[in-house]
Amino acid sequence: MAALGYLEILDGKGAVSERIAVDSFPLTIGRAYGNQVIVDDPFVCPLHLKIFQDEQGRLLASDLDSVNGIYSASSKDRVAQLVLQSGSQFRIGHTTLRYVSVDHPLAPTQVDRAVKASPLASPLASPYAAAVAGVVLVLLLCLDAYLSSVERVSFARIIGEPWITVSMLATWAGMWALASRIIVSRFNFAAHVTIACLALLTISALGVVAEWTEFFLPRVPMLWIAGLFGYGAVLAALLYGHLGAASPLRRRSRLWAAGAISLVVVGTSAISDYAARSKFSTVMAFTGVVKPIDAAWLPATSVDEFFAGAEKIKKELDKLAQKAKSSQP
Amino acid sequence: MTRLLTSIALLLWFALAAVGTARAQTIPGTTPEIFKQFSEHVVKIEVVETGSSAKAATGTGFFADASGRIVTNYHVISKLVHSPERYRIDVIDVAGATTVATVLGVDVVFDLAVLRTNRQPKGHLVFESKAVAQGTRLYSLGHPRDLGLSIVEGTHNGLLKHTLYPKVHFTGSLNPGMSGGPTLTQAGKVVGINVATEGNQISFLVPAERAMILLDKTAKGETPPAASFLADVGRQIFDNQARYLAGMFDAKTPRVALAPYDLPTKPTEFFRCWADAVRRKELPYVSVTHDCSTDDYIFVSSEQSLGIVRFYHQLLSTSELNPVRFFTLYSGQFQGGNAAMFGNEEEVTPFRCQTRNVATAHGKLKGVLCARQYVKLPALYDAVFRAATLGSRNAGLVSTLSLSGVSFDNVQNLSRRYMENIKWQR
């Protein structure tokens, strides 16, 4: 005979710990072995309640003069009788039960993120992408090592400097891969390598853009802005990517996690930056990036404007001196 | 005969010995005589920290008039000027008697101070009013390293030629502790006040007339409040600027060619300039430097020496580095190489800077102006102006002007004239 429904005994978190098929009514529930549903709970009577259908076809749970009674999960009150629908929960003693009919509606099937990655993640996860990203990064690092050296360069030095970065990157990706193996049972090493390479490439690009911006427009403290907010954004993207490959978290949770961590890092560095700025120092802190371009292209202020701007320095210094004077005994 | 000869020889010997003794005792102008005659007018000066009653600085001074005013160096008593509530000045005469002195006036530019005690001196020294010839024998009195009153012989070698503030070149060994002591002629007249040494018998004196001027200024004998001297020091430095900054870097400034650049050099006689070049085989670039600085400075405190003007040009060029690599070097030189500056929070504000690309009549340059203000010396600033010329791919000039203890108007005027003096062919 096909089952009409199921009685489910739930644990404290609401998960099903035991499921008993119901193929006919009435049925009795209690601690005694003569019941159709036996509940191993000292606060439940040997013959605690009965479930039956009334003339109208409703399913009713009725207390059989038990010591501790029946409690409706929705109203939390002791009831003598309870109308059961598919999904109704009630408590006897310390045990929560749920009745579901065979045609109880189900939640839609969840996508397994670890198995079926998002469309963005799939090309990143390919080992070819990792290889390409790695090669591009190594080439760029070598180029940077060459361009930033002002002495005669040796081949060993051009290779040696990027080598440290590359091995650190590999270690970083390896640690994420290990975490992935533990959490989602897959290493996803290629994906982690690609993500880390992309982040590093973005940071380099950001640095170059910031330097040129600061060179053209020295009024805008672009290096400082990029150093604080640009790197914070790259860090958030990096963590978002790694979490995607290393955990079954949904997109929104990953965004939150990555955003929160990056915000903490940016906040900490902003505080230490502020502390360093407000601490007394005899160092002249200025950025003066110069770049090899035809001077005709360069926007420039006139000599008059330059010295008119210096008045601002004077005002600021007057204020600082006034403050220092008033703080002295 | 032999006996007679012996007697004559003995007599002669005694006679000579007697003459010798008489010369040592009575001939005026000898060193022992000068010491004996004038040492009682010389005093030891101790700046005492009142909390611990321990001496924080020592120097020398001398009675300069019948009322008992004492001349010494400003730098001997500078601690009292900066913190009058923490220090007092003790004056100790040759007999060892100690009296407390008050300050009547200071001249920070020439490093002099006039003090007074409430004791009448037995006598005083007088100043030499006539010019003293080079080579004249001089005698300097003082307490070198607190070892007791000493006399040092030396020679007058005229006034220093390339100096902003007149100083007597005294060839003799002055030592710390002798500062503020008198240097006398054989007749006992003061030609100068001991002030500094560069070792190897190269020493300097403040000319006597500067002390006479300060004595005139303080002739009323009123004692100003001790707390007022620091403001006075600031005013004196402020007023002194015109003496050395007027006309500096104007159209008449001599020029030096560091091709393709045409740059200012040695604006006045009191600057000293040096040049050098780094052309090492292992370096793929050449660096040529030209460095000028004033020798003179004004001592304000052990941490502050003001009134120094320094500028240096560094020409970088390469035939080997590509433009990107050359500009890595150039950026580094422009942004780095800042010598550690003196100063603490009580004395100066932190620096504030402005960076701009500036179009001058000769081309474009990256200009930075940094300045800081003195907290206790009103309206005085330190400033650094630095420029890097732009437009060339394999050569560049970093030029820096640094000023200390000047008004903000002078910061702007001098930096502007300096910037306009950096010329080059494009």
Side-chain angles (χ1 to χ4, degrees), chain A:
Chain A
M1 199 171 160
L4 298 170
Y6 290 89
L7 267 164
E8 296 171 332
I9 298 177
L10 307 180
D11 63 13
K13 289 177 186 165
V16 177
S17 63
E18 199 181 334
R19 184 174 282 132
I20 303 106
V22 177
D23 46 23
S24 66
F25 294 108
L27 60 86
T28 56
I29 302 173
R31 206 149 36 89
Y33 296 107
N35 292 300
Q36 282 82 354
V37 176
I38 302 159
V39 178
D40 196 13
D41 178 345
F43 302 100
V44 170
C45 287
L47 194 64
H48 198 108
L49 74 127
K50 180 174 83 170
I51 297 179
F52 63 97
Q53 263 178 322
D54 66 1
E55 308 86 63
Q56 291 144 36
R58 292 186 306 176
L59 208 55
L60 295 174
S62 180
D63 193 351
L64 298 175
D65 289 335
S66 68
V67 176
N68 294 318
I70 303 173
Y71 286 82
S72 154
S74 53
S75 70
K76 310 246 159 95
D77 294 328
R78 180 167 181 166
V79 289
Q81 205 165 53
L82 190 69
V83 179
L84 293 182
Q85 275 150 359
S86 183
S88 292
Q89 283 186 28
F90 56 93
R91 182 167 66 77
I92 51 171
H94 284 186
T95 306
T96 304
L97 292 131
R98 175 167 63 195
Y99 171 75
V100 282
S101 61
V102 284
D103 55 357
H104 191 78
L106 299 174
T109 312
Q110 280 189 27
V111 179
D112 183 356
R113 298 201 53 83
V115 176
K116 186 173 183 266
S118 71
L120 177 77
S122 55
L124 290 186
S126 125
Y128 298 111
V132 170
V135 168
V136 170
L137 183 73
V138 168
L139 287 177
L140 269 176
L141 287 173
C142 288
L143 182 68
D144 184 57
Y146 169 67
L147 291 178
S148 61
S149 70
V150 295
E151 287 167 22
R152 285 213 180 82
V153 282
S154 62
F155 183 71
R157 205 184 137 187
I158 290 177
I159 297 297
E161 270 183 27
W163 178 246
I164 300 166
T165 316
V166 167
S167 30
M168 276 167 65
L169 184 135
T171 314
W172 169 264
M175 271 157 46
W176 275 104
L178 216 62
S180 305
R181 179 71 181 84
I182 294 163
I183 300 164
V184 296
S185 316
R186 275 179 191 76
F187 279 111
N188 287 338
F189 183 67
H192 288 301
V193 168
T194 315
I195 290 161
C197 285
L198 285 179
L200 215 57
L201 288 170
T202 316
I203 282 178
S204 312
L206 202 63
V208 171
V209 169
E211 274 198 0
W212 277 90
T213 314
E214 183 124 357
F215 170 61
F216 273 101
L217 306 165
R219 247 172 244 271
V220 187
M222 199 56 206
L223 283 169
W224 178 79
I225 294 170
L228 205 56
F229 302 107
Y231 294 164
V234 173
L235 177 68
L238 175 77
L239 291 174
Y240 177 81
H242 280 310
L243 285 173
S247 75
L249 288 175
R250 283 157 177 276
R251 183 165 293 183
R252 183 177 289 187
S253 318
R254 281 153 60 203
L255 268 177
W256 273 108
I261 293 172
S262 150
L263 209 66
V264 168
V265 173
V266 169
T268 314
S269 86
I271 289 168
S272 68
D273 182 72
Y274 178 76
R277 270 163 187 261
S278 39
K279 204 176 145 198
F280 176 79
S281 156
T282 57
V283 175
M284 291 180 284
F286 67 90
T287 50
V289 186
V290 280
K291 295 282 180 193
I293 60 152
D294 190 342
W297 292 88
L298 191 69
T301 58
S302 70
V303 176
D304 287 336
E305 280 172 314
F306 181 80
F307 287 103
E311 286 296 334
K312 219 194 257 173
I313 297 180
K314 181 176 185 290
K315 270 188 201 144
E316 221 177 315
L317 290 177
D318 286 345
K319 235 183 260 174
L320 284 171
Q322 207 56 46
K323 204 173 128 198
K325 224 180 276 175
S326 59
S327 69
Q328 280 172 15

Side-chain angles (χ1 to χ4, degrees), chain B residues 126-138:
Chain B
V126 287
F127 292 99
E128 178 61 85
S129 49
K130 284 180 283 182
V132 178
Q134 184 162 8
T136 304
R137 201 96 189 113
L138 297 179

Side-chain angles (χ1 to χ4, degrees), chain B residues 14 32 56 63 73 80 94 98-99 101 118-119 140 152 172 192 233 244 247 255 266 322 337 344 372 386 417 421:
Chain B
F14 276 120
F63 289 110
N73 285 140
L80 182 101
V94 266
T98 303
T99 40
N118 52 13
R119 271 195 17 184
S140 185
V152 173
V233 163
Y244 68 103
R255 311 196 61 81
K266 203 166 167 56
N322 64 44
N344 59 55
R372 66 177 182 182
R386 182 174 290 175
R417 293 207 291 263
N421 260 301

Side-chain angles (χ1 to χ4, degrees), chain B residues 129-352:
Chain B
S129 49
K130 284 180 283 182
V132 178
Q134 184 162 8
T136 304
R137 201 96 189 113
L138 297 179
Y139 305 85
S140 185
L141 288 159
H143 290 266
R145 299 193 182 277
D146 206 8
L147 296 171
L149 187 59
S150 311
I151 186 161
V152 173
E153 285 184 58
T155 320
H156 191 297
N157 265 307
L159 287 176
L160 292 180
K161 286 185 185 72
H162 307 305
T163 183
L164 178 50
Y165 310 110
K167 272 183 200 136
V168 176
H169 180 189
F170 172 64
T171 305
S173 294
L174 292 187
N175 274 297
M178 292 180 79
S179 285
T183 295
L184 311 171
T185 58
Q186 233 161 6
K189 292 195 169 172
V190 181
V191 290
I193 294 95
N194 308 337
V195 69
T197 176
E198 279 188 6
N200 284 334
Q201 303 228 35
I202 299 174
S203 299
F204 305 112
L205 314 173
V206 181
E209 60 263 28
R210 298 306 317 184
M212 289 158 78
I213 292 170
L214 186 61
L215 282 165
D216 274 351
K217 275 188 194 159
T218 57
K220 283 184 196 158
E222 289 165 10
T223 308
S228 71
F229 287 113
L230 197 55
D232 201 26
V233 163
R235 250 190 319 275
Q236 289 177 14
I237 294 169
F238 194 92
D239 295 342
N240 182 57
Q241 289 176 90
R243 172 196 285 271
Y244 68 103
L245 294 180
M248 196 180 279
F249 303 122
D250 63 8
K252 284 176 269 171
T253 307
R255 311 196 61 81
V256 59
L258 294 178
Y261 300 92
D262 176 30
L263 304 164
T265 183
K266 203 166 167 56
T268 59
E269 277 301 305
F270 53 81
F271 270 88
R272 278 172 195 253
C273 294
W274 307 91
D276 206 352
V278 178
R279 288 170 214 272
R280 288 214 305 268
K281 247 185 188 171
E282 70 271 22
L283 293 178
Y285 59 86
V286 177
S287 161
V288 180
T289 51
H290 188 90
D291 188 341
C292 295
S293 176
T294 54
D295 255 0
D296 299 77
Y297 60 87
I298 301 170
F299 176 99
V300 176
S301 72
S302 51
E303 284 207 338
Q304 288 178 14
S305 294
L306 272 56
I308 302 162
V309 179
R310 181 178 179 218
F311 60 93
Y312 62 96
H313 311 300
Q314 184 185 22
L315 170 66
L316 289 165
S317 59
T318 184
S319 53
E320 207 174 308
L321 293 175
N322 64 44
V324 178
R325 289 179 68 199
F326 177 70
F327 269 71
T328 304
L329 169 78
Y330 193 33
S331 274
Q333 291 296 323
F334 183 57
Q335 295 181 75
N338 289 327
M341 294 279 214
F342 283 106
N344 59 55
E345 210 168 352
E346 280 180 25
E347 312 287 351
V348 286
T349 67
F351 277 100
R352 286 290 177 266

